[in-house]
Amino acid sequence: LWVTIELSIICVILSVIIGLIGAWMQGSPIKPLRYLVAGYIQFFRNTPPLIQLLFFYFALGQFTPSVTGADGWTVEPLITNVGWAIISLSFFAGAFNVEIFRAGIEAVPESTKEAAESLGMSRLQSYIYVVLPLAFRVTLPALNNNLVNLVKTTTQALAIAVPELLYQMVGIWNDYPSAQNPAMLVLFFSYIALVGILVFGMSRWETAMRIPGYGG
């Protein structure tokens, strides 16, 4: 359960950061940056997250260096299966977050952006202090949905043997077939609780940040 919570929290935070940076790069006057973000979005939106997990772990994992273990004898990969799960799932959800934040930025009136520029703000300052706070309020409902999907998608880390909740439950009922029903109940209600906490927190945040005229 702790691995599942840890995986969910880290992936949620990283995916939001990726979304914010990617949305800013989408509006860059530098074409290669815009093309890079567009290619990234197409790659991660058009392929299943399970395939991405397997690609990162088995394909890219072959090219990552290894380090000597604590005992001085064993050799361990620099990036573990948990690390690859975090990277893969964060980039997967981040691709959707880029589009979510882009839509929020486009919802901010041009007059507001021009007013910030008239005060002498640079494009980055305007993005951080004016555009982003307003866009964030607009994007919260869609962002909430994507982050909920991300938490549920962490179960696919089972494919690369990440010891999260589903992985452990499968191990339990493989060893003890009679435990399958109670294990499934624990699994079911654990995810209801995790997603419920996230939805409750995001809803409270959305209510607290609401401004008349922005985001409903």
Side-chain angles (χ1 to χ4, degrees), residues 4-82:
T4 297
I5 294 172
E6 184 181 43
L7 189 63
S8 299
I9 291 174
I10 295 174
C11 289
V12 163
I13 293 172
L14 289 180
S15 69
V16 171
I17 293 173
I18 291 170
L20 292 172
I21 295 174
W24 180 75
M25 291 173 63
Q26 270 192 325
S28 172
I30 304 173
K31 282 187 177 181
L33 279 181
R34 298 202 303 269
Y35 293 152
L36 178 66
V37 175
Y40 156 69
I41 292 171
Q42 291 303 316
F43 176 81
F44 282 94
R45 286 180 60 184
N46 296 337
T47 52
L50 180 59
I51 302 301
Q52 294 167 19
L53 271 168
L54 298 176
F55 172 77
F56 271 85
Y57 183 66
F58 291 107
L60 298 185
Q62 300 299 316
F63 300 99
T64 54
S66 299
V67 294
T68 304
D71 57 7
W73 294 95
T74 58
V75 176
E76 301 174 354
L78 186 62
I79 304 177
T80 64
N81 56 345
V82 176

Side-chain angles (χ1 to χ4, degrees), residues 80-210:
T80 64
N81 56 345
V82 176
W84 282 121
I86 290 172
I87 292 170
S88 176
L89 294 173
S90 297
F91 276 112
F92 168 71
F96 291 89
N97 287 343
V98 170
E99 291 293 275
I100 290 171
F101 286 123
R102 179 189 61 80
I105 291 170
E106 291 180 352
V108 177
E110 286 297 323
S111 58
T112 303
K113 301 175 187 177
E114 292 170 359
E117 294 173 1
S118 68
L119 294 174
M121 288 186 177
S122 65
R123 179 174 174 271
L124 181 58
Q125 288 175 323
S126 173
Y127 178 73
I128 294 175
Y129 297 113
V130 179
V131 176
L132 187 57
L134 295 175
F136 208 74
R137 290 164 167 82
V138 179
T139 60
L140 274 176
L143 183 64
N144 186 10
N145 290 335
N146 192 40
L147 296 183
V148 165
N149 287 331
L150 172 59
V151 172
K152 293 186 290 185
T153 306
T154 58
T155 56
Q156 298 193 14
L158 163 77
I160 56 174
V162 173
E164 44 78 54
L165 198 57
L166 178 59
Y167 180 88
Q168 298 291 5
M169 289 301 175
V170 170
I172 289 172
W173 71 57
N174 281 339
D175 293 335
Y176 307 98
S178 62
Q180 183 171 3
N181 289 339
M184 285 300 298
L185 284 174
V186 171
L187 188 67
F188 184 74
F189 286 106
S190 294
Y191 274 98
I192 287 179
L194 286 175
V195 172
I197 291 170
L198 175 61
V199 170
F200 177 77
M202 292 290 289
S203 298
R204 291 293 300 271
W205 194 13
E206 183 181 349
T207 302
M209 294 183 67
R210 183 170 294 138

